[in-house]
Amino acid sequence: MDWGALHTILGGVNKHSTSIGKIWLTVLFIFRIMILVVAAERVWGDEQQDFVCNTLQPGCRNVCYDHFFPISHIRLWALQLIFVSTPALLVAMHVAYRRHEKKRQFRKGDQKCEFKDIEEIRKQRFRIEGSLWWTYTGSIFFRLVFEAVFMYAFYFMYDGFRMPRLMKCNAWPCPNTVDCFVSRPTEKTVFTIFMIAVSSICILLNVAELCYLLAKFFLRRSKKAGNSKQQPNHENKEETKQNEMNELISDSCQNTVIGFSS
Amino acid sequence: MDWGTLQAVLGGVNKHSTSIGKIWLTVLFIFRIMILVVAAERVWGDEQQDFVCNTLQPGCRNVCYDHFFPISHIRLWALQLIFVSTPALLVAMHVAYTRHEKKRRFRNGEKIDIEELKNEKIHIRGPLWWTYTSSIFFRIIFEAVFMYVFYYMYDGYQMPRLVKCEAWPCPNTVDCFVSRPTEKTTFTIFMLAVSGICMMLNLAELCYLVIKICMKESRKAT
């Protein structure tokens, strides 16, 4: 179970995402997970080995390293990426549940089910409306919260996003104050800033997607409200259709037909 | 999620590229990514461990290493390859969007065969031409920027055998010795040369696309 497996799982969610969601997923995999695996893990690979303190006191180096790096950047990023990817699984579960329901309907022989066979049900792409809209929007909201929480945790834990070259350590058993030198501080600072920047881009994409979904929702509601004002009685669908066609013939009002068919 | 996955993602773009684009992709994967993974990473593997300074002062080696190698060559190449590959995804997204639109029109009743749609090779015309051309343009920009960054950061493309370090806490001036400098210089020049070849291929592709569109315009005019 590694990043590749996560890629497979989330790839399935991609089908039911909006365009912004697909861009977000691409940015996540290529600019965050791939950079983490291919580059950042090597940079932080020797972080404790090459953390050098100017003392002969045994145990001082260990204690100082632990004091200044309670959780390594790499591990925090791995946790962040996992938490941020997970809400998409809610959407996947909801879609799987709907498919299961449709398959059940199909097997029962329900006439309402419009699919010809099970294969079609499996391949169907669900539109983001109704309860799926709420699940999808909730997942984006949680993504935003997780991103923000982790960015704050980084900032709080490491007093900013810069990796210092030198740290002065007082922890026992170090004698008095000891100078400790971090391995590759500049490279680490560069990668930290890069990952923060991409995190921010992902937050912006999520905010944009949230706004897009809300706008879509309100537009749909206002369209429905507009339709219901013109046709208050929807009990007889065919009668309504006929009325619509008559209106089209008499008024050449194209908008009404489009509103009905959508 | 590693280079193999990137290859899978970009392999899909290959279908809609020009011939020069396909050659570029092959050069990228075989002469750059593969060389990076199988050879260069081993050469730079022990770069900090075997970076030796002529001093007993603790911390001096760390500080000197950090001073002379702010970002390791390997990481710069990895970033370069990722940035250079990414514009191709714009093309993939555009193609996916075009297909999606055609499927929508099919569902609305227009007569298009769905199987044909999936296998269709979309020609590089109209808005796709602009997306494709700008992706090549961005590729060239990224290549040039990274080549310049390399030159600027390391004062040329040669790896020195000895670097003289004066950063605190090193006492006075300390001699530090780089691990495998000749091998590193060889690989740096190799990667630079292949970068140059990729840039030539991109320029050639750009010229080809521009000439194609100009010829089409002149044919339409006549």
Side-chain angles (χ1 to χ4, degrees):
Chain A
M1 184 73 203
D2 60 355
W3 294 114
L6 188 73
H7 179 69
T8 316
I9 294 171
L10 289 183
V13 177
N14 205 11
K15 245 195 312 182
H16 310 282
S17 304
T18 59
S19 314
I20 305 177
K22 289 174 186 165
I23 296 172
W24 173 84
L25 214 69
T26 311
V27 169
L28 184 83
F29 277 111
I30 296 191
F31 289 101
R32 295 176 80 176
I33 296 180
M34 195 164 166
I35 295 279
L36 188 82
V37 169
V38 165
E41 278 187 352
R42 310 288 162 89
V43 178
W44 268 266
D46 56 5
E47 55 175 330
Q48 190 169 347
Q49 210 173 325
D50 281 333
F51 182 77
V52 168
C53 289
N54 188 2
T55 180
L56 290 171
Q57 171 65 47
C60 175
R61 193 179 72 106
N62 282 26
V63 164
C64 290
Y65 177 81
D66 184 62
H67 181 257
F68 287 108
F69 300 104
I71 307 177
S72 170
H73 287 63
I74 287 284
R75 258 70 70 186
L76 271 178
W77 282 325
L79 283 172
Q80 181 180 14
L81 291 168
I82 290 171
F83 273 87
V84 154
S85 318
T86 316
L89 295 177
L90 291 173
V91 178
M93 285 193 244
H94 192 137
V95 165
Y97 170 75
R98 269 209 189 166
R99 276 219 181 98
H100 180 75
E101 285 295 301
K102 290 233 157 115
K103 277 185 187 165
R104 213 167 49 88
Q105 275 181 346
F106 176 77
R107 281 203 195 95
K108 268 196 195 161
D110 201 333
Q111 276 173 343
K112 259 194 251 172
C113 187
E114 62 269 30
F115 295 105
K116 294 197 188 96
D117 57 23
I118 283 234
E119 277 307 309
E120 229 181 276
I121 295 177
R122 213 174 278 158
K123 289 187 191 151
Q124 191 210 17
R125 186 183 164 232
F126 288 101
R127 291 186 69 183
I128 303 173
E129 35 198 27
S131 51
L132 186 61
W133 184 92
W134 286 101
T135 309
Y136 196 84
T137 311
S139 81
I140 297 177
F141 178 74
F142 278 114
R143 263 187 233 167
L144 277 166
V145 168
F146 288 139
E147 291 269 22
V149 163
F150 273 95
M151 276 172 88
Y152 178 71
F154 253 108
Y155 187 82
F156 177 74
M157 230 185 252
Y158 293 105
D159 273 326
F161 299 120
R162 225 179 132 255
M163 179 69 78
R165 201 178 265 195
L166 161 74
M167 292 168 160
K168 291 192 180 285
C169 179
N170 284 334
W172 185 90
C174 301
N176 309 305
T177 305
V178 166
D179 289 337
C180 290
F181 300 89
V182 178
S183 144
R184 309 182 205 250
T186 312
E187 204 164 0
K188 285 178 180 172
T189 306
V190 168
F191 274 95
T192 305
I193 291 173
F194 181 87
M195 294 295 266
I196 294 288
V198 186
S199 248
S200 315
I201 292 172
C202 284
I203 287 179
L204 288 171
L205 284 169
N206 284 330
V207 168
E209 201 177 358
L210 206 58
C211 295
Y212 167 74
L213 286 168
L214 286 169
K216 205 166 134 178
F217 179 73
F218 285 119
L219 271 170
R220 209 179 286 145
R221 274 183 85 175
S222 62
K223 256 193 221 167
K224 275 193 188 159
N227 282 346
S228 66
K229 274 186 194 157
Q230 289 166 6
Q231 299 286 346
N233 192 357
H234 278 279
E235 276 164 25
N236 193 344
K237 256 191 178 178
E238 279 189 21
E239 200 181 35
T240 322
K241 238 185 180 171
Q242 191 57 48
N243 286 341
E244 297 272 2
M245 291 304 291
N246 290 341
E247 268 196 51
L248 175 68
I249 295 165
S250 59
D251 296 345
S252 306
C253 180
Q254 251 184 335
N255 289 337
T256 326
V257 173
I258 292 168
F260 179 83
S261 62
S262 65
Chain B
M1 186 71 204
D2 59 353
W3 296 114
T5 325
L6 187 73
Q7 192 194 15
V9 169
L10 289 182
V13 178
N14 205 10
K15 245 194 312 182
H16 311 284
S17 303
T18 59
S19 316
I20 306 177
K22 289 175 185 165
I23 296 172
W24 174 84
L25 214 68
T26 311
V27 168
L28 184 84
F29 277 111
I30 296 189
F31 290 101
R32 295 175 82 176
I33 295 181
M34 195 165 163
I35 294 283
L36 187 82
V37 170
V38 302
E41 279 187 354
R42 309 288 161 89
V43 176
W44 269 266
D46 57 5
E47 58 175 332
Q48 190 169 343
Q49 218 171 319
D50 282 335
F51 182 78
V52 169
C53 289
N54 187 4
T55 180
L56 290 171
Q57 171 64 47
C60 175
R61 193 179 70 104
N62 281 27
V63 164
C64 291
Y65 178 82
D66 184 62
H67 181 257
F68 286 103
F69 302 103
I71 308 177
S72 171
H73 287 63
I74 288 282
R75 255 72 70 185
L76 272 178
W77 283 324
L79 284 172
Q80 181 180 14
L81 291 168
I82 290 171
F83 274 87
V84 153
S85 316
T86 314
L89 295 176
L90 290 174
V91 178
M93 284 192 239
H94 192 137
V95 165
Y97 172 75
T98 313
R99 278 221 180 96
H100 179 76
E101 285 296 301
K102 285 202 169 149
K103 276 189 189 161
R104 213 168 50 87
R105 280 194 279 151
F106 175 75
R107 283 203 198 98
N108 287 345
E110 271 185 50
K111 287 187 186 137
I112 304 169
D113 186 14
I114 264 212
E115 273 310 307
E116 206 186 283
L117 205 65
K118 263 181 220 160
N119 298 335
E120 192 190 343
K121 186 193 172 216
I122 297 176
H123 288 283
I124 304 173
R125 291 194 266 257
L128 185 61
W129 183 92
W130 286 101
T131 309
Y132 196 84
T133 312
S134 49
S135 82
I136 297 177
F137 179 73
F138 279 116
R139 264 187 234 166
I140 296 174
I141 299 275
F142 287 140
E143 292 268 23
V145 163
F146 274 96
M147 279 168 86
Y148 177 71
V149 163
F150 253 107
Y151 186 82
Y152 176 76
M153 228 185 250
Y154 293 105
D155 275 327
Y157 299 112
Q158 214 214 350
M159 182 67 79
R161 203 175 267 191
L162 161 74
V163 289
K164 289 191 181 286
C165 179
E166 286 169 2
W168 185 89
C170 301
N172 310 306
T173 304
V174 165
D175 288 338
C176 293
F177 300 88
V178 178
S179 142
R180 311 182 206 245
T182 313
E183 203 167 1
K184 287 178 180 172
T185 307
T186 310
F187 274 96
T188 306
I189 292 174
F190 179 88
M191 294 294 269
L192 185 74
V194 186
S195 248
I197 292 171
C198 284
M199 235 162 120
M200 296 286 134
L201 285 169
N202 284 330
L203 282 167
E205 201 177 358
L206 201 61
C207 295
Y208 167 73
L209 287 168
V210 168
I211 290 171
K212 201 167 138 182
I213 203 105
C214 290
M215 278 177 72
K216 212 175 278 167
E217 293 290 308
S218 63
R219 251 188 243 159
K220 274 191 193 165
T222 54

